[in-house]
Amino acid sequence: MRIKKNLSDEEMFKGYIEKESFENTFDADEKTVAAKIKNKTAAPAKELLLPAEAQDKLNQYLLEVSMDWFKNGNGEVVWKVQKEQGQIIIKPAPAKKKALK
């Protein structure tokens, strides 16, 4: 049998089932508890509920507006999001800089 090169650990141990012994019995219990804790503390991913094409256009327009903002010498920008009459409006506003002590 030939051993393949450049395999990951998962690929090397694919299909291998370790027999339960004194050494690995306690380790398996700890892994299941750690996995449950990790799943409970994981923060939900934030998604933008737009089709891919609309999301690309939105990113393009935001980039264009922010580049114009910087070219005009307005400094840092903060995006203000508002809802008016069934429309979502995103406006640039100057970022407030913290005073240095």
Side-chain angles (χ1 to χ4, degrees), residues 74-92:
N74 295 329
E76 294 291 322
V77 66
V78 173
W79 296 101
K80 302 290 182 181
V81 181
Q82 302 170 345
K83 179 182 173 189
E84 294 179 5
Q85 300 173 354
Q87 294 182 346
I88 299 171
I89 300 171
I90 304 173
K91 295 181 182 179

Side-chain angles (χ1 to χ4, degrees), residues 63-77 79:
L63 179 63
E64 287 177 11
V65 171
S66 62
M67 292 304 293
D68 290 340
W69 183 269
F70 284 118
K71 285 180 185 176
N72 293 333
N74 295 329
E76 294 291 322
V77 66
W79 296 101

Side-chain angles (χ1 to χ4, degrees), residues 6 13 27 32 39 57 59 74 81 89-90 92 98-100:
N6 301 326
F13 288 106
D27 188 36
T32 56
N39 288 339
K57 282 186 179 181
N59 287 335
N74 295 329
V81 181
I89 300 171
I90 304 173
K98 295 181 180 178
L100 298 175

Side-chain angles (χ1 to χ4, degrees), residues 4 17-18 20-21 24 31 33 35 38 42 46 49 54 57 60 65 70 73 80 86 89-90 93 95 100:
K4 296 179 183 177
I17 299 173
E18 187 175 11
E20 192 171 314
S21 67
N24 62 17
K31 286 181 183 177
V33 170
K38 183 178 180 183
K46 293 183 180 180
L49 301 175
K57 282 186 179 181
Q60 178 185 359
V65 171
F70 284 118
K80 302 290 182 181
I89 300 171
I90 304 173
L100 298 175

Side-chain angles (χ1 to χ4, degrees), residues 9-49:
D9 291 342
E10 290 178 13
E11 292 169 340
M12 284 190 278
F13 288 106
K14 188 176 183 179
Y16 174 76
I17 299 173
E18 187 175 11
K19 295 179 182 176
E20 192 171 314
S21 67
F22 177 75
E23 289 86 6
N24 62 17
T25 301
F26 300 106
D27 188 36
D29 293 338
E30 290 175 7
K31 286 181 183 177
T32 56
V33 170
K36 287 180 183 178
I37 292 172
K38 183 178 180 183
N39 288 339
K40 287 182 182 178
T41 59
K46 293 183 180 180
E47 290 187 23
L48 188 59
L49 301 175

